[in-house]
Amino acid sequence: SAGASTIDWGLILPRHERWLRTVVRSRVGEQAVDEIWQEVSLAAVAQRAPLADPAKAGAWLYRLAVRQALLYRRKRGRQTRLEGHY
């Protein structure tokens, strides 16, 4: 997309990484932070939800991180319930 070419994720992601990892850690604990950060980074680079304005990258990445943390917790909950049946 047009927005993807104007956004340098190699520059933006490291700038926001520390505080976003804190946001993720507060939701899922330490064990999954790396996995979720990788998902956030991949989603940003792949532009699955395009971002037109680079100035809004922080807010956009925040929403992405929260959504990925939520998906992770949901997946873990399903796995835990499934293991509980056996």
Coordinates of all heavy atoms in Angstrom, one line a residue:
S1 N 0.8 -1.2 0.0 CA 0.0 0.0 0.0 C 0.9 1.2 0.0 O 2.1 1.2 0.3 CB -0.9 0.0 1.2 OG -0.2 0.3 2.4
A2 N 0.3 2.4 -0.2 CA 1.0 3.6 -0.3 C 1.6 4.0 1.0 O 2.7 4.5 1.1 CB 0.1 4.8 -0.8
G3 N 0.9 3.7 2.1 CA 1.4 4.0 3.5 C 2.6 3.2 3.8 O 3.5 3.7 4.5
A4 N 2.7 2.0 3.4 CA 3.8 1.1 3.8 C 5.1 1.6 3.3 O 6.1 1.5 3.9 CB 3.5 -0.3 3.3
S5 N 5.1 2.2 2.1 CA 6.4 2.7 1.6 C 6.9 3.9 2.3 O 8.1 4.2 2.2 CB 6.2 3.0 0.1 OG 5.2 4.1 -0.1
T6 N 6.1 4.7 3.0 CA 6.5 5.9 3.6 C 6.9 5.7 5.1 O 7.4 6.5 5.7 CB 5.4 7.0 3.6 OG1 4.3 6.5 4.3 CG2 5.0 7.4 2.2
I7 N 6.6 4.5 5.6 CA 6.9 4.2 7.0 C 8.1 3.3 7.1 O 8.2 2.2 6.6 CB 5.7 3.5 7.7 CG1 4.5 4.6 7.7 CG2 6.0 3.1 9.1 CD1 3.2 4.0 8.2
D8 N 9.1 3.7 7.9 CA 10.4 3.0 8.1 C 10.2 2.2 9.4 O 10.6 2.7 10.5 CB 11.6 3.9 8.1 CG 12.9 3.2 8.3 OD1 12.9 1.9 8.4 OD2 13.9 3.8 8.2
W9 N 9.7 1.0 9.3 CA 9.5 0.2 10.5 C 10.8 -0.1 11.2 O 10.8 -0.3 12.5 CB 8.7 -1.1 10.2 CG 7.3 -0.8 9.8 CD1 6.7 -0.9 8.6 CD2 6.3 -0.2 10.7 NE1 5.4 -0.4 8.7 CE2 5.1 0.0 10.0 CE3 6.3 0.2 12.1 CZ2 3.9 0.5 10.5 CZ3 5.1 0.7 12.6 CH2 3.9 0.8 11.8
G10 N 11.9 -0.2 10.5 CA 13.2 -0.5 11.1 C 13.6 0.6 12.1 O 14.4 0.4 13.0
L11 N 13.1 1.8 11.9 CA 13.3 2.9 12.7 C 12.2 3.1 13.8 O 12.6 3.4 15.0 CB 13.3 4.2 11.8 CG 14.1 5.4 12.3 CD1 15.6 5.1 12.4 CD2 13.9 6.6 11.4
I12 N 11.0 2.9 13.4 CA 9.9 3.1 14.3 C 9.8 2.0 15.4 O 9.6 2.3 16.6 CB 8.5 3.2 13.6 CG1 8.6 4.5 12.8 CG2 7.3 3.2 14.5 CD1 7.4 4.7 11.8
L13 N 9.9 0.7 15.0 CA 9.7 -0.4 16.0 C 10.7 -0.3 17.2 O 10.2 -0.3 18.3 CB 9.8 -1.7 15.3 CG 8.6 -2.1 14.5 CD1 8.8 -3.3 13.6 CD2 7.4 -2.4 15.4
P14 N 12.0 -0.1 17.0 CA 12.9 0.0 18.1 C 12.6 1.2 19.0 O 12.8 1.1 20.2 CB 14.3 0.2 17.5 CG 14.1 -0.4 16.1 CD 12.7 -0.1 15.7
R15 N 12.1 2.3 18.4 CA 11.7 3.5 19.2 C 10.6 3.2 20.2 O 10.6 3.8 21.3 CB 11.3 4.6 18.2 CG 11.2 6.0 18.9 CD 10.8 7.0 17.9 NE 11.8 7.1 16.8 CZ 11.5 7.5 15.5 NH1 10.2 7.9 15.2 NH2 12.4 7.6 14.6
H16 N 9.7 2.3 19.9 CA 8.5 2.0 20.7 C 8.6 0.7 21.5 O 7.8 0.4 22.3 CB 7.3 2.0 19.8 CG 7.0 3.4 19.2 ND1 6.4 4.4 20.0 CD2 7.2 3.8 18.0 CE1 6.2 5.4 19.2 NE2 6.7 5.1 18.0
E17 N 9.7 -0.1 21.2 CA 9.8 -1.4 21.7 C 9.7 -1.5 23.2 O 9.0 -2.3 23.8 CB 11.0 -2.1 21.2 CG 11.1 -3.5 21.7 CD 12.3 -4.3 21.1 OE1 13.1 -3.7 20.3 OE2 12.4 -5.5 21.3
R18 N 10.5 -0.7 23.9 CA 10.6 -0.8 25.4 C 9.3 -0.7 26.1 O 8.9 -1.5 26.9 CB 11.6 0.2 25.9 CG 12.0 -0.1 27.3 CD 13.1 0.8 27.8 NE 13.3 0.6 29.2 CZ 14.3 1.2 29.9 NH1 15.1 2.0 29.3 NH2 14.4 1.0 31.2
W19 N 8.6 0.4 25.8 CA 7.3 0.7 26.5 C 6.2 -0.3 26.0 O 5.3 -0.7 26.8 CB 6.9 2.2 26.4 CG 6.4 2.6 25.0 CD1 7.2 3.2 24.0 CD2 5.1 2.6 24.5 NE1 6.4 3.5 23.0 CE2 5.1 3.2 23.2 CE3 3.8 2.2 25.1 CZ2 3.9 3.3 22.5 CZ3 2.7 2.3 24.3 CH2 2.7 2.9 23.0
L20 N 6.3 -0.7 24.8 CA 5.2 -1.7 24.3 C 5.5 -3.0 24.9 O 4.5 -3.7 25.3 CB 5.3 -1.8 22.8 CG 4.6 -0.6 22.1 CD1 4.9 -0.6 20.6 CD2 3.1 -0.6 22.3
R21 N 6.7 -3.4 25.2 CA 7.0 -4.7 25.9 C 6.4 -4.6 27.3 O 5.9 -5.6 27.8 CB 8.5 -5.0 25.9 CG 9.0 -5.5 24.6 CD 10.5 -5.8 24.7 NE 11.0 -6.5 23.6 CZ 11.1 -7.8 23.6 NH1 10.8 -8.6 24.6 NH2 11.6 -8.5 22.5
T22 N 6.5 -3.4 27.9 CA 6.0 -3.2 29.3 C 4.4 -3.4 29.2 O 3.9 -4.0 30.1 CB 6.4 -1.9 29.8 OG1 7.8 -1.7 29.8 CG2 5.8 -1.7 31.2
V23 N 3.8 -2.8 28.2 CA 2.4 -3.0 28.1 C 2.0 -4.5 27.9 O 1.1 -4.9 28.6 CB 1.9 -2.2 26.8 CG1 0.5 -2.6 26.4 CG2 2.0 -0.7 27.1
V24 N 2.7 -5.2 27.1 CA 2.4 -6.6 26.9 C 2.7 -7.4 28.1 O 1.9 -8.2 28.5 CB 3.3 -7.2 25.7 CG1 3.2 -8.7 25.6 CG2 2.8 -6.5 24.4
R25 N 3.8 -7.1 28.8 CA 4.2 -7.8 30.0 C 3.1 -7.7 31.1 O 2.8 -8.6 31.8 CB 5.5 -7.3 30.6 CG 6.1 -8.1 31.7 CD 7.5 -7.6 32.1 NE 8.4 -7.7 31.1 CZ 9.0 -6.7 30.4 NH1 8.7 -5.5 30.7 NH2 9.8 -6.9 29.4
S26 N 2.5 -6.5 31.2 CA 1.4 -6.3 32.2 C 0.2 -7.1 31.9 O -0.6 -7.3 32.8 CB 1.1 -4.8 32.2 OG 0.4 -4.4 31.1
R27 N 0.0 -7.5 30.7 CA -1.2 -8.3 30.3 C -1.0 -9.8 30.3 O -1.9 -10.5 30.5 CB -1.7 -7.8 28.9 CG -2.4 -6.5 29.0 CD -2.6 -5.9 27.7 NE -3.4 -4.7 27.7 CZ -3.1 -3.5 28.2 NH1 -1.9 -3.3 28.6 NH2 -3.9 -2.5 28.2
V28 N 0.2 -10.3 30.0 CA 0.5 -11.7 29.8 C 1.6 -12.2 30.7 O 1.8 -13.5 30.8 CB 0.7 -12.1 28.4 CG1 -0.4 -11.8 27.5 CG2 2.0 -11.5 27.9
G29 N 2.3 -11.4 31.4 CA 3.5 -11.9 32.2 C 4.7 -12.0 31.3 O 4.7 -11.8 30.1
E30 N 5.8 -12.3 31.9 CA 7.1 -12.2 31.3 C 7.3 -13.3 30.2 O 7.9 -13.0 29.2 CB 8.2 -12.4 32.4 CG 9.6 -12.3 31.9 CD 9.9 -10.9 31.4 OE1 9.6 -9.9 32.0 OE2 10.5 -10.7 30.2
Q31 N 6.7 -14.5 30.4 CA 7.0 -15.6 29.5 C 6.7 -15.4 28.1 O 7.3 -16.1 27.2 CB 6.3 -16.9 30.1 CG 4.8 -17.0 29.8 CD 4.0 -16.1 30.7 OE1 4.5 -15.6 31.7 NE2 2.7 -16.0 30.4
A32 N 5.7 -14.6 27.8 CA 5.2 -14.5 26.4 C 5.6 -13.2 25.7 O 5.3 -13.0 24.5 CB 3.7 -14.6 26.3
V33 N 6.4 -12.3 26.4 CA 6.6 -11.0 25.8 C 7.4 -11.1 24.5 O 7.0 -10.4 23.5 CB 7.4 -10.1 26.8 CG1 7.9 -8.8 26.2 CG2 6.6 -9.9 28.1
D34 N 8.4 -11.9 24.4 CA 9.2 -12.0 23.1 C 8.3 -12.5 22.0 O 8.3 -12.0 20.9 CB 10.4 -13.0 23.3 CG 11.5 -12.4 24.2 OD1 11.5 -11.1 24.3 OD2 12.3 -13.1 24.8
E35 N 7.5 -13.5 22.3 CA 6.6 -14.1 21.2 C 5.6 -13.1 20.7 O 5.4 -12.9 19.5 CB 5.9 -15.3 21.8 CG 5.0 -16.0 20.8 CD 4.2 -17.2 21.5 OE1 4.7 -17.7 22.5 OE2 3.2 -17.5 20.9
I36 N 5.0 -12.3 21.6 CA 4.0 -11.3 21.2 C 4.7 -10.2 20.5 O 4.2 -9.7 19.6 CB 3.2 -10.9 22.5 CG1 2.4 -12.1 22.9 CG2 2.3 -9.7 22.1 CD1 1.7 -11.9 24.2
W37 N 5.9 -9.7 21.0 CA 6.6 -8.6 20.3 C 6.9 -9.0 18.9 O 6.8 -8.2 18.0 CB 7.8 -8.2 21.1 CG 8.6 -7.2 20.4 CD1 9.8 -7.2 19.7 CD2 8.1 -5.8 20.1 NE1 10.1 -6.1 19.1 CE2 9.1 -5.2 19.3 CE3 7.0 -5.1 20.5 CZ2 8.9 -3.8 18.9 CZ3 6.8 -3.8 20.1 CH2 7.8 -3.2 19.3
Q38 N 7.3 -10.3 18.7 CA 7.6 -10.7 17.3 C 6.3 -10.7 16.5 O 6.4 -10.2 15.3 CB 8.1 -12.2 17.4 CG 8.6 -12.7 16.1 CD 9.2 -14.0 16.2 OE1 9.0 -14.7 17.2 NE2 10.0 -14.4 15.2
E39 N 5.2 -11.1 17.0 CA 3.9 -11.0 16.3 C 3.5 -9.5 15.9 O 3.1 -9.2 14.8 CB 2.7 -11.6 17.1 CG 2.8 -13.1 17.2 CD 2.7 -13.8 15.9 OE1 1.9 -13.4 15.0 OE2 3.4 -14.8 15.7
V40 N 3.7 -8.6 16.9 CA 3.5 -7.2 16.7 C 4.4 -6.7 15.6 O 3.9 -6.0 14.6 CB 3.7 -6.4 18.0 CG1 3.7 -4.9 17.7 CG2 2.6 -6.7 19.0
S41 N 5.6 -7.0 15.6 CA 6.6 -6.5 14.6 C 6.2 -7.1 13.2 O 6.2 -6.3 12.2 CB 8.0 -7.0 15.0 OG 8.4 -6.5 16.2
L42 N 5.9 -8.4 13.1 CA 5.5 -8.9 11.9 C 4.3 -8.3 11.3 O 4.2 -8.0 10.1 CB 5.3 -10.5 12.0 CG 6.6 -11.3 12.2 CD1 6.2 -12.7 12.6 CD2 7.4 -11.3 10.9
A43 N 3.3 -8.1 12.2 CA 2.0 -7.5 11.7 C 2.3 -6.0 11.2 O 1.7 -5.6 10.3 CB 1.0 -7.5 12.9
A44 N 3.2 -5.3 11.9 CA 3.5 -3.9 11.5 C 4.1 -3.9 10.1 O 3.7 -3.2 9.2 CB 4.4 -3.3 12.5
V45 N 5.1 -4.8 10.0 CA 5.8 -4.8 8.7 C 4.9 -5.3 7.6 O 5.0 -4.8 6.5 CB 7.1 -5.7 8.8 CG1 7.8 -5.9 7.4 CG2 8.1 -5.0 9.8
A46 N 4.1 -6.3 7.9 CA 3.2 -6.8 6.8 C 2.0 -5.9 6.5 O 1.3 -6.0 5.5 CB 2.6 -8.2 7.3
Q47 N 1.8 -4.9 7.4 CA 0.7 -3.9 7.2 C -0.6 -4.6 7.1 O -1.3 -4.2 6.1 CB 1.1 -3.0 6.0 CG 2.1 -2.0 6.3 CD 1.6 -0.8 7.1 OE1 0.8 0.0 6.7 NE2 2.0 -0.8 8.4
R48 N -0.9 -5.5 7.9 CA -2.2 -6.2 7.9 C -3.3 -5.2 8.2 O -4.5 -5.4 7.7 CB -2.3 -7.4 8.9 CG -1.5 -8.6 8.3 CD -1.6 -9.7 9.3 NE -0.2 -10.1 9.7 CZ 0.1 -10.7 10.8 NH1 -0.8 -11.1 11.6 NH2 1.3 -11.0 11.0
A49 N -3.0 -4.2 8.9 CA -4.0 -3.1 9.2 C -3.3 -1.8 8.8 O -2.5 -1.3 9.7 CB -4.5 -3.1 10.6
P50 N -3.4 -1.3 7.6 CA -2.5 -0.2 7.2 C -2.6 1.0 8.0 O -3.6 1.4 8.6 CB -3.1 0.1 5.8 CG -3.7 -1.2 5.3 CD -4.3 -1.8 6.6
L51 N -1.4 1.6 8.1 CA -1.2 2.9 8.9 C -0.8 3.9 7.9 O 0.2 3.8 7.2 CB -0.1 2.7 10.0 CG 0.3 3.9 10.7 CD1 -0.8 4.4 11.6 CD2 1.5 3.6 11.6
A52 N -1.6 5.0 7.7 CA -1.4 6.0 6.8 C -0.4 7.1 7.3 O 0.4 7.6 6.6 CB -2.7 6.6 6.3
D53 N -0.6 7.4 8.6 CA 0.2 8.6 9.2 C 1.2 8.1 10.1 O 0.9 7.6 11.2 CB -0.8 9.5 9.9 CG -0.2 10.7 10.5 OD1 1.1 10.9 10.3 OD2 -0.9 11.5 11.2
P54 N 2.5 8.2 9.8 CA 3.6 7.7 10.6 C 3.6 8.4 12.0 O 4.1 7.8 13.0 CB 4.9 8.1 9.9 CG 4.5 8.3 8.5 CD 3.0 8.7 8.5
A55 N 3.0 9.6 12.1 CA 3.0 10.2 13.4 C 2.1 9.5 14.4 O 2.2 9.6 15.6 CB 2.4 11.7 13.3
K56 N 1.2 8.6 13.9 CA 0.3 7.9 14.8 C 0.8 6.5 15.0 O 0.1 5.6 15.5 CB -1.1 7.8 14.1 CG -1.8 9.2 14.0 CD -3.1 9.1 13.4 CE -3.8 10.5 13.3 NZ -4.8 10.6 12.4
A57 N 2.0 6.2 14.7 CA 2.6 4.8 14.8 C 2.5 4.3 16.2 O 2.2 3.2 16.5 CB 4.0 4.8 14.3
G58 N 2.8 5.2 17.2 CA 2.8 4.7 18.6 C 1.4 4.2 19.1 O 1.3 3.1 19.6
A59 N 0.4 5.0 18.8 CA -1.0 4.6 19.1 C -1.4 3.4 18.4 O -2.0 2.5 18.9 CB -1.9 5.8 18.9
W60 N -1.0 3.3 17.1 CA -1.4 2.2 16.3 C -0.7 0.9 16.8 O -1.3 -0.2 16.9 CB -0.9 2.5 14.8 CG -1.3 1.4 13.8 CD1 -2.6 1.3 13.2 CD2 -0.5 0.4 13.3 NE1 -2.5 0.2 12.3 CE2 -1.3 -0.3 12.4 CE3 0.8 0.0 13.5 CZ2 -0.8 -1.4 11.7 CZ3 1.3 -1.1 12.8 CH2 0.5 -1.8 11.9
L61 N 0.6 1.0 17.1 CA 1.4 -0.1 17.7 C 0.8 -0.6 19.0 O 0.8 -1.8 19.3 CB 2.8 0.2 17.8 CG 3.6 0.2 16.4 CD1 5.0 0.8 16.6 CD2 3.7 -1.2 15.9
Y62 N 0.4 0.4 19.8 CA -0.2 0.1 21.1 C -1.5 -0.8 20.9 O -1.6 -1.8 21.6 CB -0.6 1.4 21.9 CG -1.4 1.1 23.1 CD1 -0.7 0.8 24.3 CD2 -2.8 1.2 23.1 CE1 -1.4 0.5 25.5 CE2 -3.5 1.0 24.3 CZ -2.8 0.6 25.4 OH -3.5 0.4 26.6
R63 N -2.4 -0.4 20.0 CA -3.6 -1.2 19.8 C -3.2 -2.6 19.3 O -3.8 -3.6 19.7 CB -4.5 -0.5 18.8 CG -5.2 0.7 19.4 CD -6.3 1.2 18.5 NE -5.9 1.6 17.1 CZ -5.4 2.7 16.8 NH1 -5.2 3.7 17.7 NH2 -5.1 2.9 15.5
L64 N -2.2 -2.6 18.4 CA -1.8 -3.9 17.9 C -1.2 -4.8 19.0 O -1.5 -6.0 19.1 CB -0.7 -3.6 16.8 CG -0.3 -4.7 15.9 CD1 -1.5 -5.3 15.1 CD2 0.8 -4.2 14.9
A65 N -0.4 -4.2 19.9 CA 0.2 -5.0 21.0 C -0.9 -5.5 21.9 O -0.8 -6.7 22.3 CB 1.2 -4.1 21.7
V66 N -1.9 -4.7 22.2 CA -2.9 -5.1 23.1 C -3.7 -6.2 22.5 O -4.1 -7.2 23.1 CB -3.8 -3.9 23.5 CG1 -5.1 -4.3 24.2 CG2 -3.1 -2.9 24.4
R67 N -4.0 -6.1 21.2 CA -4.8 -7.1 20.5 C -4.0 -8.4 20.5 O -4.6 -9.5 20.7 CB -5.1 -6.7 19.1 CG -6.0 -7.6 18.3 CD -6.7 -7.1 17.1 NE -5.7 -6.6 16.1 CZ -5.6 -5.4 15.7 NH1 -6.3 -4.4 16.2 NH2 -4.7 -5.0 14.8
Q68 N -2.7 -8.4 20.2 CA -1.9 -9.6 20.1 C -1.8 -10.2 21.5 O -1.9 -11.5 21.6 CB -0.5 -9.3 19.6 CG -0.4 -8.9 18.2 CD -0.8 -10.0 17.2 OE1 -0.8 -11.2 17.6 NE2 -1.2 -9.7 16.0
A69 N -1.7 -9.4 22.6 CA -1.7 -10.0 23.9 C -3.0 -10.7 24.3 O -3.1 -11.8 24.8 CB -1.4 -8.9 25.0
L70 N -4.1 -10.1 23.8 CA -5.4 -10.7 24.0 C -5.6 -12.0 23.3 O -6.1 -13.0 23.9 CB -6.5 -9.7 23.5 CG -7.9 -9.8 24.2 CD1 -8.2 -8.5 24.9 CD2 -8.9 -10.1 23.1
L71 N -5.1 -12.0 22.0 CA -5.2 -13.3 21.3 C -4.3 -14.3 21.9 O -4.7 -15.5 22.0 CB -4.7 -13.0 19.8 CG -5.6 -12.2 19.0 CD1 -4.9 -11.8 17.6 CD2 -6.9 -12.9 18.7
Y72 N -3.2 -14.0 22.4 CA -2.3 -14.9 23.1 C -3.0 -15.5 24.3 O -3.0 -16.7 24.5 CB -1.0 -14.3 23.5 CG -0.1 -15.2 24.3 CD1 0.7 -16.1 23.7 CD2 -0.2 -15.2 25.7 CE1 1.5 -17.0 24.5 CE2 0.6 -16.0 26.5 CZ 1.4 -16.9 25.9 OH 2.2 -17.8 26.6
R73 N -3.6 -14.6 25.2 CA -4.3 -15.1 26.4 C -5.5 -16.0 26.0 O -5.7 -17.0 26.7 CB -4.8 -13.9 27.2 CG -3.6 -13.2 27.9 CD -4.1 -12.1 28.8 NE -5.0 -12.6 29.8 CZ -5.6 -11.8 30.7 NH1 -5.3 -10.5 30.7 NH2 -6.4 -12.3 31.6
R74 N -6.2 -15.7 25.0 CA -7.3 -16.5 24.5 C -6.8 -17.9 24.1 O -7.4 -18.9 24.5 CB -8.0 -15.8 23.4 CG -9.5 -16.1 23.2 CD -10.1 -15.3 22.1 NE -10.4 -13.9 22.5 CZ -10.6 -12.9 21.7 NH1 -10.6 -13.2 20.4 NH2 -10.8 -11.7 22.1
K75 N -5.7 -17.9 23.3 CA -5.1 -19.2 22.9 C -4.7 -20.0 24.0 O -4.9 -21.2 24.1 CB -4.0 -18.9 21.9 CG -3.3 -20.1 21.3 CD -2.3 -19.7 20.3 CE -1.0 -19.4 21.0 NZ 0.2 -19.1 20.1
R76 N -4.0 -19.4 25.0 CA -3.5 -20.1 26.2 C -4.7 -20.6 27.0 O -4.6 -21.8 27.5 CB -2.6 -19.2 27.1 CG -1.3 -18.9 26.6 CD -0.4 -20.1 26.5 NE -0.3 -20.9 27.7 CZ -0.2 -22.2 27.8 NH1 -0.2 -22.9 26.7 NH2 -0.2 -22.8 29.0
G77 N -5.7 -19.9 27.1 CA -6.9 -20.3 27.8 C -7.5 -21.6 27.2 O -7.9 -22.5 27.9
R78 N -7.6 -21.6 25.9 CA -8.1 -22.7 25.2 C -7.2 -24.0 25.4 O -7.7 -25.1 25.6 CB -8.3 -22.5 23.7 CG -9.5 -21.7 23.3 CD -9.8 -21.7 21.8 NE -8.7 -21.1 21.0 CZ -8.6 -19.9 20.6 NH1 -9.5 -19.0 21.0 NH2 -7.6 -19.5 19.9
Q79 N -5.9 -23.7 25.3 CA -5.0 -24.9 25.5 C -5.1 -25.4 27.0 O -5.1 -26.6 27.2 CB -3.5 -24.4 25.3 CG -3.2 -24.2 23.8 CD -1.9 -23.5 23.6 OE1 -1.3 -23.0 24.5 NE2 -1.4 -23.6 22.4
T80 N -5.2 -24.5 27.9 CA -5.4 -24.9 29.3 C -6.6 -25.7 29.6 O -6.6 -26.8 30.2 CB -5.3 -23.7 30.3 OG1 -4.1 -23.0 30.0 CG2 -5.4 -24.1 31.7
R81 N -7.8 -25.3 29.0 CA -9.0 -26.0 29.1 C -8.9 -27.4 28.4 O -9.4 -28.3 29.0 CB -10.2 -25.2 28.5 CG -10.7 -24.1 29.5 CD -12.0 -23.5 29.0 NE -11.9 -22.9 27.6 CZ -11.4 -21.7 27.4 NH1 -10.9 -21.0 28.4 NH2 -11.4 -21.2 26.2
L82 N -8.3 -27.4 27.3 CA -8.2 -28.7 26.5 C -7.3 -29.6 27.4 O -7.7 -30.8 27.5 CB -7.5 -28.4 25.2 CG -7.5 -29.6 24.2 CD1 -8.9 -29.9 23.8 CD2 -6.6 -29.2 23.0
E83 N -6.2 -29.2 28.0 CA -5.4 -30.0 28.8 C -6.2 -30.5 30.0 O -5.9 -31.6 30.5 CB -4.1 -29.3 29.2 CG -3.2 -29.1 28.1 CD -2.1 -28.0 28.3 OE1 -2.1 -27.5 29.5 OE2 -1.4 -27.7 27.4
G84 N -7.1 -29.7 30.5 CA -7.9 -30.0 31.7 C -8.8 -31.2 31.5 O -9.2 -31.8 32.4
H85 N -9.2 -31.4 30.2 CA -10.1 -32.5 29.8 C -9.4 -33.8 29.9 O -10.1 -34.8 29.8 CB -10.7 -32.2 28.5 CG -11.7 -31.1 28.4 ND1 -12.7 -30.9 29.4 CD2 -11.9 -30.1 27.5 CE1 -13.4 -29.8 29.1 NE2 -12.9 -29.3 28.0
Y86 N -8.1 -33.8 29.9 CA -7.3 -35.1 29.8 C -6.7 -35.4 31.1 O -6.5 -34.7 32.0 CB -6.3 -35.0 28.7 CG -6.9 -35.0 27.3 CD1 -6.9 -33.8 26.6 CD2 -7.5 -36.1 26.8 CE1 -7.5 -33.7 25.4 CE2 -8.1 -36.0 25.5 CZ -8.0 -34.8 24.8 OH -8.6 -34.7 23.6

